[in-house]
Amino acid sequence: MDCRIETAETRRNKCAACYRQFNKVEHLVDHMKISYHSVHEPSCGICRKHCRSFESLREHLIGPLPKPECKEIFANRGCKFCLKILDSPNSRRIHQQKCQLSGLSGICGRFSNLGIRDNLTIGGGRGPQVVALACKMVGGGSDGSLDLCARVCLIDEHENIIFHSYVTPPIPITNYRYETTGIRHEYLRDAMPLKLVQRKIQDFLCNGEPIWTIRSKGGKARILVGHGLDHDLASLQIEYPTPKIRDTAKYPPLMKTSKLSNSLKYLTQAYLGYDIQTGIQDPYDDCVAAMRLYMRMRTQIHKTEDYPLASDPQNRNNFASWRQSELERMSPEQMLEISRSDYYCWCLDP
């Protein structure tokens, strides 16, 4: 009898998302206030545990201390790239062959984008609405440690090159970093000046819409995908509104369990199944990798909610202090039902 009561109380104070156990229900409520559990979190296809990131989910399934039951099933039916659970080992084999992408497109890119390519169109609904950007940096300053953009590439969601050019930096180059950039002095003789590249890309991204009017939804401005876009945009001296940026270095499901960024090289190998940035690096490869990661995140299917963000006005009182008594009477499942995400899930993009 006592054992059953204790088990019921234990279940009552257990988070329905991450399965963390608490001694008191008020502690569970406090946890739900700051955890922002939601349908958009990566979750185990076996035990349904919510994880903050795919890295955390990977550790749950195949890490140093995985859950034994989940590890066993995942070993037989789990895709090591997208971490989905399939119906059978044969289904897993077929799925994983499709899930593992090829890096061969980058080879084509190296031969096709050596010169200037400019297919930028502005205005109306013309052109792609989602584009990926990547730059390659050379060194400036007395010790060559100052990053200067010397090559830029822009692709559409079908991996077609929209814009490619070598770039003349605003200050002298002191280190071409040839081992990784493959850039030589002669490549920059006919390069575009930075100011011209800046204007062309900025105008293309805004697509005829004044930058101060750009919002997260609607409008003509394009969604910009990349990895470490703060650095790339700063090197191009471009400002672009955060609501239109999709940065794989800052997207919570793609970050480390420590909440630090993963490298694009690691993300590509772990989640797409091929290698990039070996030897001389091509910005086209980086664009393709970032776009593929974005598309994989965007095509995830999550439960539809009218107001999916914790910051939406309709959700601001979900865990308000004045509701403490009411929240403590809720079941863990009911609390999870009203909990919302603290980040914008890319599956919400049109």
Side-chain angles (χ1 to χ4, degrees):
M1 180 85 175
D2 291 342
C3 182
R4 285 195 297 272
I5 292 174
E6 183 180 355
T7 302
E9 289 177 351
T10 299
R11 190 180 306 113
R12 175 73 181 84
N13 300 337
K14 184 178 181 180
C15 176
C18 66
Y19 301 157
R20 185 176 173 183
Q21 186 68 56
F22 296 90
N23 293 327
K24 297 180 179 180
V25 66
E26 53 262 40
H27 297 162
L28 172 59
V29 172
D30 290 341
H31 165 74
M32 294 301 293
K33 288 179 179 179
I34 62 173
S35 63
Y36 299 102
H37 289 309
S38 76
V39 297
H40 298 286
E41 289 179 305
S43 61
C44 177
I46 303 161
C47 70
R48 305 302 175 187
K49 176 182 178 180
H50 289 224
C51 298
R52 186 63 179 173
S53 66
F54 283 102
E55 196 77 0
S56 178
L57 176 58
R58 190 180 294 275
E59 290 182 5
H60 167 77
L61 293 168
I62 55 175
L65 296 171
K67 185 175 180 181
E69 300 89 339
C70 297
K71 178 183 178 181
E72 182 178 353
I73 295 174
F74 184 81
N76 291 320
R77 297 193 280 119
C79 174
K80 66 180 181 180
F81 301 113
C82 69
L83 307 182
K84 289 181 180 177
I85 307 299
L86 286 304
D87 295 332
S88 67
N90 187 53
S91 298
R92 172 214 182 185
R93 180 181 59 81
I94 296 171
H95 168 87
Q96 197 160 272
Q97 288 175 348
K98 297 178 180 178
C99 205
Q100 182 175 14
L101 302 179
S102 167
L104 293 177
S105 57
I107 296 174
C108 300
R110 289 190 184 95
F111 287 103
S112 64
N113 65 10
L114 290 178
I116 293 175
R117 179 169 297 195
D118 187 350
N119 296 320
L120 303 181
T121 57
I122 300 171
R126 294 182 297 164
Q129 294 308 302
V130 180
V131 297
L133 173 109
C135 300
K136 286 302 168 187
M137 310 292 177
V138 292
S142 58
D143 59 354
S145 63
L146 181 63
D147 285 344
L148 304 172
C149 177
R151 190 177 177 193
V152 61
C153 184
L154 203 63
I155 69 167
D156 63 19
E157 54 193 294
H158 303 294
E159 303 175 10
N160 299 311
I161 298 171
I162 306 169
F163 181 80
H164 170 270
S165 180
Y166 289 104
V167 182
T168 303
I171 64 174
I173 299 171
T174 54
N175 184 354
Y176 283 87
R177 304 175 184 174
Y178 177 78
E179 295 78 10
T180 56
T181 66
I183 296 174
R184 299 181 185 275
H185 171 72
E186 55 267 27
Y187 295 174
L188 302 183
R189 286 175 183 163
D190 299 320
M192 281 191 189
L194 177 64
K195 288 293 183 183
L196 179 58
V197 172
Q198 172 202 32
R199 180 177 58 79
K200 279 179 169 287
I201 293 179
Q202 180 102 56
D203 290 348
F204 175 73
L205 293 175
C206 294
N207 198 26
E209 186 173 356
I211 193 168
W212 59 87
T213 67
I214 294 175
R215 301 292 182 266
S216 58
K217 294 183 180 180
K220 297 180 291 183
R222 307 177 205 272
I223 291 173
L224 178 62
V225 176
H227 188 86
L229 280 170
D230 286 350
H231 186 223
D232 285 347
L233 292 175
S235 71
L236 291 168
Q237 300 178 9
I238 290 175
E239 293 184 3
Y240 201 57
T242 301
K244 286 293 184 181
I245 288 177
R246 306 289 180 264
D247 194 334
T248 55
K250 291 185 174 183
Y251 190 51
L254 293 177
M255 296 178 77
K256 298 179 181 179
T257 52
S258 60
K259 298 184 180 180
L260 297 175
S261 297
N262 277 303
S263 68
L264 183 60
K265 182 182 178 74
Y266 169 79
L267 291 174
T268 304
Q269 196 280 327
Y271 297 103
L272 301 179
Y274 67 94
D275 293 318
I276 62 168
Q277 299 179 351
T278 56
I280 291 178
Q281 301 172 14
D282 192 315
Y284 176 76
D285 289 341
D286 292 356
C287 283
V288 169
M291 181 63 81
R292 288 176 173 181
L293 287 165
Y294 167 75
M295 295 301 291
R296 183 155 289 182
M297 296 296 105
R298 175 177 157 180
T299 53
Q300 290 187 316
I301 300 174
H302 296 142
K303 177 184 175 183
T304 302
E305 297 167 326
D306 291 335
Y307 305 103
L309 297 177
S311 58
D312 289 332
Q314 295 81 359
N315 297 321
R316 286 177 183 167
N317 291 325
N318 285 8
F319 289 95
S321 299
W322 54 266
R323 295 187 65 185
Q324 184 72 21
S325 297
E326 178 189 354
L327 291 167
E328 290 179 10
R329 292 193 296 271
M330 288 184 179
S331 68
E333 291 74 21
Q334 288 173 325
M335 280 190 268
L336 179 58
E337 186 67 25
I338 64 171
S339 184
R340 294 294 183 268
S341 175
D342 62 341
Y343 65 87
Y344 179 87
C345 182
W346 292 348
C347 79
L348 300 172
D349 281 346

